[in-house]
Amino acid sequence: MSTISELETPVVLVDLDKAEANLRKAQDAADRAGIKLRPHIKTHKLPRFAKRQVELGAVGITVQKLGEAEVMADAGLDDLLLTFNIVGAKKRDRLKSLHERVTIRVVADSTETVMGLAETFGDQNRPLGVFVECDTGMGRCGVQSPEAALSLARQIAVLPGLQFAGLMTYPAAKKYREAADWLAEAKALFDSAGMPLPEITTGGTPDIWHMEEAGVATEYRPGTYIYMDRSQVAAGAASYDECALTVLATVVSRPAEGRAIIDAGSKTLTSDLLGLEGHGYVLDFPEATIVGLSEEHGTVDVSACAVKPKIGDTIRIVPNHCCPVSNLFDTVTLVRGEEVVETVHVAARGRVD
C-alpha cells in the first residue's frame, strides 16, 4: 500500500476515519434531538458517502443542482430534496424524468416558479412535492414572511400535479434561534388556517450542534459536516483534528526569507475567504499564512515560523471552504493516517446545471 509521501501534488486528501467519525457524531446528535437528518451532498459529491449517510440513519439526501440529483439517482439514491428553484422548460423536463424513477422534491419561492412547475407536472396520481422556501434571515432566496409562505402554499396545494410538501429554510450562521422563531410563527399561522404542514426542513453546519434548538423543524440538512474546514473551526463547529479534507501541496520556491510558494493556487484552494485572514490553515506550519493565490501558485508568509519549509517539502492545508475544493478536482484520494486507500472520481464534480 502506498503512502501520502508518494503522491503527486496538489492533491485532495480525505481521511476516511475522520469522515466516518463526523458522520456518526452528527447522526447521533440528530437522533438525540429527535430530528431527521437529510445531509447535503454538495460537499463531498460522492455516491459512496451519500450511501453511507443513509446507512447511518439519514432519511435521504439533499442536492443543489439537477446534475447532482441525476448522478445520485443513477447511483441508487432514491429519496432526494433539491433545494434550488427550477426555472426553464428544459430543466423541468429533466426534473420530470427524475421524478418518474425516484422520489424527488423541490423548492419554490414565487408564483412564477410554481406555475412553471405546474406546466410540466400535471399528473394528480403522481404529484411533485414542492416546499416553500423561506428567508429566515439569510437574505438569499425565500418568501419574506409567514403570510407569504401560507399564500404560496395554498397556490401549490390547488394545482393537480403538485403537492405542498412543507417549509424549507437555510438560516444565516448563528441565527438559528431567529430562524426557529420565524418557523414557529409560520407553523402557528398554518395551524390557525387549517393548512397541513407536512415537513419543516432547516440546516447549516455552523449550527449543527444546536439541532435540539431547531424548534418546530422536523428535518436538518447539514453539508460541510462530513469534512469540516477552517470556516467551521472558526464557527466553533469543529476542531482541526476533526477536519477530514486537506490539500497536500509542495513548496516549489523560496524566493525570499519570509516567503514560500506552493503549487496550490485559486484552482486548488478556492479564493473564498469567508471573513478569514488567509486562504487556509497550514497544519505543518501553523504560524504560516497563505496570503495570496494566483491560478496555480499560492504565496505563503512564513516569516513567523521558527522552522521554515524548504523547497520540496510537502504541507497539508485545511482550506477555508472545503465544498468548492471538492468541485475543483476530478478525483480525491482517500487515506487512513499516512496510508493511501484509494483514489476515487468525484462523480458529481462540475455538475453545475
Side-chain angles (χ1 to χ4, degrees), residues 21-79:
N22 291 341
L23 295 183
R24 288 182 177 275
K25 182 179 178 181
Q27 187 62 57
D28 289 346
D31 292 343
R32 288 194 303 271
I35 192 168
K36 293 180 284 188
L37 207 65
R38 182 179 291 276
H40 208 315
I41 63 85
K42 70 181 179 66
T43 299
H44 57 73
K45 296 177 177 286
L46 293 171
R48 68 187 292 152
F49 283 145
K51 291 178 179 179
R52 183 59 182 153
Q53 287 167 317
V54 172
E55 287 173 0
L56 289 172
V59 295
I61 61 169
T62 305
V63 296
Q64 195 73 353
K65 307 297 285 184
L66 275 168
E68 291 177 347
E70 289 162 343
V71 168
M72 294 297 152
D74 289 345
L77 282 301
D78 60 5
D79 190 334

Coordinates of all heavy atoms in Angstrom, one line a residue, residues 21-79:
A21 N -16.2 9.4 11.5 CA -16.5 9.9 12.9 C -17.4 11.1 12.8 O -18.3 11.3 13.6 CB -15.2 10.3 13.6
N22 N -17.2 12.0 11.8 CA -18.1 13.2 11.7 C -19.5 12.8 11.3 O -20.5 13.4 11.9 CB -17.5 14.1 10.6 CG -16.2 14.8 11.0 OD1 -15.9 14.9 12.2 ND2 -15.5 15.3 10.0
L23 N -19.6 11.8 10.5 CA -21.0 11.3 10.1 C -21.7 10.7 11.3 O -22.9 11.0 11.5 CB -20.9 10.3 9.0 CG -20.3 10.7 7.6 CD1 -20.4 9.6 6.6 CD2 -21.1 11.9 7.1
R24 N -21.0 9.9 12.0 CA -21.6 9.3 13.2 C -22.0 10.3 14.3 O -23.1 10.2 14.9 CB -20.7 8.2 13.8 CG -20.6 6.9 12.9 CD -19.7 5.9 13.6 NE -19.6 4.7 12.8 CZ -20.5 3.7 12.9 NH1 -21.5 3.8 13.8 NH2 -20.3 2.6 12.2
K25 N -21.1 11.3 14.5 CA -21.4 12.3 15.5 C -22.6 13.1 15.2 O -23.5 13.3 16.1 CB -20.2 13.2 15.6 CG -20.3 14.3 16.7 CD -19.0 15.1 16.7 CE -19.1 16.2 17.8 NZ -17.9 17.1 17.8
A26 N -22.8 13.4 13.9 CA -24.0 14.2 13.5 C -25.2 13.4 13.6 O -26.3 13.9 14.0 CB -23.8 14.8 12.1
Q27 N -25.2 12.1 13.1 CA -26.4 11.3 13.2 C -26.8 11.0 14.6 O -28.0 11.1 14.9 CB -26.1 10.0 12.5 CG -27.4 9.1 12.3 CD -28.4 9.7 11.5 OE1 -28.2 10.1 10.3 NE2 -29.6 9.9 12.1
D28 N -25.8 10.8 15.5 CA -26.1 10.6 16.9 C -26.8 11.9 17.5 O -27.8 11.8 18.3 CB -24.9 10.3 17.7 CG -24.3 8.9 17.4 OD1 -25.1 8.1 16.8 OD2 -23.2 8.6 17.8
A29 N -26.3 13.1 17.1 CA -26.9 14.3 17.6 C -28.3 14.5 17.1 O -29.2 14.9 17.9 CB -26.0 15.5 17.2
A30 N -28.5 14.1 15.9 CA -29.9 14.2 15.3 C -30.8 13.3 16.0 O -32.0 13.6 16.3 CB -29.9 14.0 13.8
D31 N -30.4 12.1 16.3 CA -31.2 11.1 17.0 C -31.6 11.6 18.4 O -32.7 11.4 18.8 CB -30.5 9.7 17.0 CG -30.3 9.1 15.7 OD1 -31.0 9.5 14.7 OD2 -29.5 8.2 15.6
R32 N -30.6 12.2 19.1 CA -30.9 12.7 20.4 C -31.9 13.8 20.4 O -32.7 14.0 21.3 CB -29.6 13.1 21.1 CG -28.6 12.0 21.5 CD -27.6 12.5 22.5 NE -26.8 13.6 21.9 CZ -25.7 13.4 21.1 NH1 -25.2 12.2 20.9 NH2 -25.0 14.4 20.7
A33 N -31.7 14.7 19.3 CA -32.6 15.8 19.2 C -34.0 15.5 18.7 O -34.9 16.3 18.7 CB -32.0 16.9 18.3
G34 N -34.2 14.2 18.2 CA -35.4 13.8 17.7 C -35.8 14.5 16.3 O -36.9 14.7 16.0
I35 N -34.7 14.7 15.5 CA -34.9 15.4 14.2 C -34.3 14.5 13.1 O -33.3 13.9 13.4 CB -34.3 16.8 14.3 CG1 -34.7 17.6 13.1 CG2 -32.8 16.7 14.4 CD1 -34.4 19.1 13.2
K36 N -34.9 14.5 12.0 CA -34.5 13.7 10.9 C -33.3 14.4 10.2 O -33.2 15.6 10.1 CB -35.6 13.5 9.9 CG -36.7 12.6 10.4 CD -37.8 12.4 9.4 CE -38.7 13.6 9.3 NZ -39.9 13.3 8.4
L37 N -32.3 13.6 9.8 CA -31.1 14.1 9.1 C -31.3 13.9 7.6 O -31.6 12.7 7.2 CB -29.9 13.5 9.6 CG -28.6 14.3 9.5 CD1 -28.7 15.5 10.4 CD2 -27.4 13.4 10.0
R38 N -31.1 14.9 6.8 CA -31.1 14.8 5.3 C -29.8 15.5 4.8 O -29.8 16.7 4.4 CB -32.3 15.4 4.7 CG -32.4 15.2 3.2 CD -33.7 15.8 2.6 NE -34.8 15.0 3.0 CZ -35.2 13.9 2.3 NH1 -34.6 13.5 1.3 NH2 -36.3 13.3 2.7
P39 N -28.7 14.9 4.8 CA -27.4 15.5 4.5 C -27.4 16.1 3.1 O -27.9 15.5 2.2 CB -26.4 14.4 4.7 CG -27.0 13.4 5.5 CD -28.5 13.4 5.2
H40 N -26.6 17.2 3.0 CA -26.4 17.8 1.7 C -25.1 17.2 1.0 O -24.1 17.3 1.7 CB -26.3 19.3 1.8 CG -26.7 20.1 0.6 ND1 -26.3 19.7 -0.6 CD2 -27.5 21.2 0.5 CE1 -26.8 20.6 -1.5 NE2 -27.6 21.5 -0.8
I41 N -25.2 16.7 -0.2 CA -24.1 16.0 -0.8 C -23.2 17.0 -1.6 O -22.2 16.6 -2.2 CB -24.5 14.9 -1.7 CG1 -25.4 15.3 -2.8 CG2 -25.3 13.8 -0.8 CD1 -24.7 15.8 -4.1
K42 N -23.6 18.3 -1.6 CA -22.8 19.3 -2.3 C -21.3 19.4 -1.9 O -20.5 19.8 -2.6 CB -23.4 20.7 -2.2 CG -23.3 21.3 -0.9 CD -24.0 22.7 -0.8 CE -23.9 23.3 0.6 NZ -22.5 23.6 1.0
T43 N -21.1 18.9 -0.6 CA -19.8 19.0 -0.1 C -18.9 17.9 -0.6 O -17.8 18.2 -1.2 CB -19.8 18.9 1.5 OG1 -20.5 20.0 2.0 CG2 -18.4 18.9 2.0
H44 N -19.3 16.7 -0.6 CA -18.5 15.5 -1.0 C -18.7 15.1 -2.4 O -17.8 14.6 -3.1 CB -18.6 14.4 0.0 CG -20.0 13.8 0.1 ND1 -20.6 13.1 -0.9 CD2 -20.9 13.9 1.2 CE1 -21.8 12.8 -0.4 NE2 -22.0 13.2 0.8
K45 N -19.9 15.2 -2.9 CA -20.3 14.9 -4.3 C -20.0 13.4 -4.7 O -19.8 13.1 -5.8 CB -19.6 15.8 -5.3 CG -20.0 17.3 -5.1 CD -19.2 18.1 -6.1 CE -19.7 19.6 -6.0 NZ -21.0 19.8 -6.7
L46 N -19.9 12.5 -3.6 CA -19.6 11.1 -3.8 C -20.7 10.2 -3.4 O -21.2 10.2 -2.3 CB -18.4 10.8 -3.0 CG -17.0 11.5 -3.4 CD1 -16.0 11.2 -2.3 CD2 -16.6 11.0 -4.7
P47 N -21.2 9.4 -4.4 CA -22.3 8.5 -4.0 C -21.9 7.5 -2.8 O -22.8 7.2 -2.0 CB -22.5 7.7 -5.3 CG -22.1 8.6 -6.4 CD -20.9 9.4 -5.8
R48 N -20.7 7.2 -2.7 CA -20.3 6.2 -1.6 C -20.6 6.9 -0.3 O -21.0 6.2 0.7 CB -18.8 5.8 -1.8 CG -17.8 7.0 -1.5 CD -16.4 6.6 -1.8 NE -15.9 5.6 -0.9 CZ -15.0 4.7 -1.2 NH1 -14.5 4.6 -2.4 NH2 -14.6 3.8 -0.3
F49 N -20.3 8.2 -0.1 CA -20.6 8.8 1.1 C -22.1 9.1 1.3 O -22.5 9.0 2.5 CB -19.8 10.1 1.2 CG -18.3 9.9 1.6 CD1 -17.3 10.8 1.0 CD2 -17.9 8.9 2.4 CE1 -16.0 10.6 1.3 CE2 -16.5 8.8 2.7 CZ -15.6 9.6 2.2
A50 N -22.8 9.4 0.2 CA -24.2 9.6 0.4 C -24.9 8.3 0.8 O -25.7 8.3 1.7 CB -24.8 10.0 -1.0
K51 N -24.4 7.2 0.3 CA -25.0 5.9 0.7 C -24.6 5.6 2.2 O -25.5 5.1 2.9 CB -24.5 4.8 -0.2 CG -25.0 4.8 -1.6 CD -24.4 3.7 -2.5 CE -25.0 3.8 -3.9 NZ -24.4 2.7 -4.7
R52 N -23.4 6.0 2.6 CA -23.1 5.8 4.0 C -23.9 6.6 4.9 O -24.3 6.1 6.0 CB -21.6 6.1 4.2 CG -21.0 5.8 5.6 CD -21.2 4.3 5.9 NE -20.8 4.1 7.3 CZ -21.3 3.1 8.1 NH1 -22.2 2.3 7.6 NH2 -20.8 2.9 9.3
Q53 N -24.2 7.8 4.5 CA -25.0 8.7 5.3 C -26.4 8.1 5.5 O -26.9 8.1 6.7 CB -25.1 10.1 4.7 CG -23.8 10.9 4.8 CD -23.7 12.1 3.9 OE1 -24.1 12.0 2.8 NE2 -23.2 13.2 4.5
V54 N -27.0 7.5 4.5 CA -28.3 6.8 4.6 C -28.2 5.6 5.5 O -29.0 5.3 6.3 CB -28.8 6.5 3.2 CG1 -30.1 5.7 3.3 CG2 -29.1 7.8 2.4
E55 N -27.1 4.8 5.3 CA -26.9 3.6 6.1 C -26.9 4.0 7.6 O -27.4 3.2 8.4 CB -25.6 2.9 5.7 CG -25.6 2.2 4.4 CD -24.2 1.7 4.0 OE1 -23.2 2.0 4.8 OE2 -24.1 1.1 2.9
L56 N -26.3 5.1 7.9 CA -26.2 5.5 9.3 C -27.5 6.1 9.9 O -27.6 6.3 11.1 CB -25.1 6.5 9.5 CG -23.6 6.0 9.3 CD1 -22.6 7.1 9.3 CD2 -23.3 5.0 10.4
G57 N -28.5 6.3 9.0 CA -29.8 6.7 9.6 C -30.4 7.9 8.9 O -31.5 8.3 9.2
A58 N -29.7 8.6 7.9 CA -30.3 9.7 7.2 C -31.6 9.2 6.4 O -31.6 8.1 5.9 CB -29.3 10.3 6.3
V59 N -32.6 10.1 6.4 CA -33.8 9.7 5.7 C -33.7 9.9 4.2 O -34.6 9.4 3.5 CB -35.0 10.6 6.2 CG1 -35.3 10.3 7.7 CG2 -34.7 12.1 6.0
G60 N -32.7 10.5 3.7 CA -32.5 10.8 2.3 C -31.4 11.8 2.2 O -30.6 12.0 3.1
I61 N -31.2 12.4 1.0 CA -30.1 13.3 0.8 C -30.7 14.6 0.2 O -31.8 14.7 -0.3 CB -29.0 12.8 -0.1 CG1 -29.6 12.4 -1.5 CG2 -28.4 11.5 0.5 CD1 -28.5 12.1 -2.6
T62 N -29.9 15.6 0.3 CA -30.2 16.9 -0.3 C -29.2 17.2 -1.4 O -28.0 16.9 -1.3 CB -30.0 18.1 0.8 OG1 -30.8 17.8 1.9 CG2 -30.4 19.4 0.2
V63 N -29.7 17.7 -2.5 CA -28.8 18.1 -3.6 C -29.1 19.6 -4.0 O -30.2 20.1 -3.6 CB -29.0 17.2 -4.9 CG1 -28.6 15.8 -4.6 CG2 -30.5 17.3 -5.4
Q64 N -28.2 20.2 -4.7 CA -28.4 21.6 -5.0 C -28.7 21.8 -6.5 O -29.2 22.9 -6.8 CB -27.2 22.4 -4.6 CG -27.4 23.9 -4.5 CD -28.3 24.4 -3.3 OE1 -28.8 23.5 -2.6 NE2 -28.4 25.7 -3.1
K65 N -28.3 20.9 -7.3 CA -28.5 21.1 -8.8 C -29.0 19.8 -9.4 O -28.9 18.7 -8.8 CB -27.1 21.4 -9.4 CG -26.4 22.6 -8.8 CD -27.2 23.9 -8.9 CE -27.1 24.5 -10.3 NZ -27.8 25.8 -10.3
L66 N -29.6 19.9 -10.5 CA -30.2 18.8 -11.2 C -29.1 17.8 -11.6 O -29.3 16.5 -11.5 CB -30.9 19.2 -12.5 CG -32.3 19.6 -12.4 CD1 -32.8 20.3 -13.7 CD2 -33.2 18.5 -12.1
G67 N -27.9 18.3 -12.0 CA -26.8 17.3 -12.3 C -26.4 16.5 -11.1 O -26.2 15.3 -11.3
E68 N -26.4 17.1 -9.9 CA -26.1 16.3 -8.7 C -27.2 15.2 -8.5 O -26.9 14.1 -8.2 CB -26.0 17.2 -7.5 CG -24.8 18.1 -7.5 CD -24.8 19.0 -6.3 OE1 -25.8 19.2 -5.6 OE2 -23.7 19.7 -6.1
A69 N -28.4 15.6 -8.7 CA -29.6 14.7 -8.5 C -29.5 13.5 -9.4 O -29.7 12.4 -9.1 CB -30.9 15.4 -8.7
E70 N -29.1 13.8 -10.7 CA -29.0 12.8 -11.7 C -27.9 11.8 -11.3 O -28.1 10.5 -11.5 CB -28.8 13.4 -13.1 CG -30.0 14.1 -13.6 CD -29.7 15.1 -14.7 OE1 -28.6 15.5 -14.9 OE2 -30.7 15.4 -15.4
V71 N -26.8 12.3 -10.9 CA -25.7 11.4 -10.5 C -26.1 10.5 -9.3 O -25.8 9.3 -9.3 CB -24.4 12.2 -10.2 CG1 -23.3 11.4 -9.5 CG2 -23.8 12.9 -11.4
M72 N -26.7 11.1 -8.4 CA -27.1 10.4 -7.2 C -28.2 9.3 -7.5 O -28.1 8.2 -7.0 CB -27.5 11.3 -6.0 CG -26.4 12.2 -5.5 SD -25.0 11.2 -4.8 CE -23.6 12.3 -5.1
A73 N -29.1 9.7 -8.3 CA -30.2 8.8 -8.7 C -29.6 7.6 -9.5 O -30.0 6.4 -9.3 CB -31.2 9.5 -9.5
D74 N -28.6 7.9 -10.4 CA -28.0 6.8 -11.1 C -27.2 5.9 -10.2 O -27.1 4.7 -10.5 CB -27.0 7.4 -12.2 CG -27.7 8.1 -13.3 OD1 -29.0 7.9 -13.5 OD2 -27.1 8.9 -14.0
A75 N -26.8 6.4 -9.1 CA -26.0 5.5 -8.1 C -26.9 4.8 -7.2 O -26.4 4.0 -6.3 CB -25.1 6.4 -7.3
G76 N -28.2 5.0 -7.3 CA -29.2 4.2 -6.4 C -29.8 5.0 -5.3 O -30.6 4.4 -4.5
L77 N -29.4 6.2 -5.1 CA -30.1 7.0 -4.1 C -31.5 7.4 -4.6 O -31.6 7.9 -5.7 CB -29.3 8.3 -3.8 CG -28.0 8.2 -2.9 CD1 -28.4 7.7 -1.5 CD2 -26.9 7.4 -3.6
D78 N -32.5 7.2 -3.7 CA -33.9 7.3 -4.3 C -34.8 8.2 -3.5 O -36.0 8.2 -3.7 CB -34.5 5.9 -4.4 CG -34.6 5.2 -3.0 OD1 -34.2 5.8 -2.0 OD2 -35.0 4.0 -3.0
D79 N -34.2 9.0 -2.5 CA -35.0 10.0 -1.8 C -34.3 11.3 -1.8 O -33.3 11.4 -1.0 CB -35.4 9.5 -0.4 CG -36.4 10.3 0.3 OD1 -36.5 11.5 0.0 OD2 -37.1 9.8 1.2

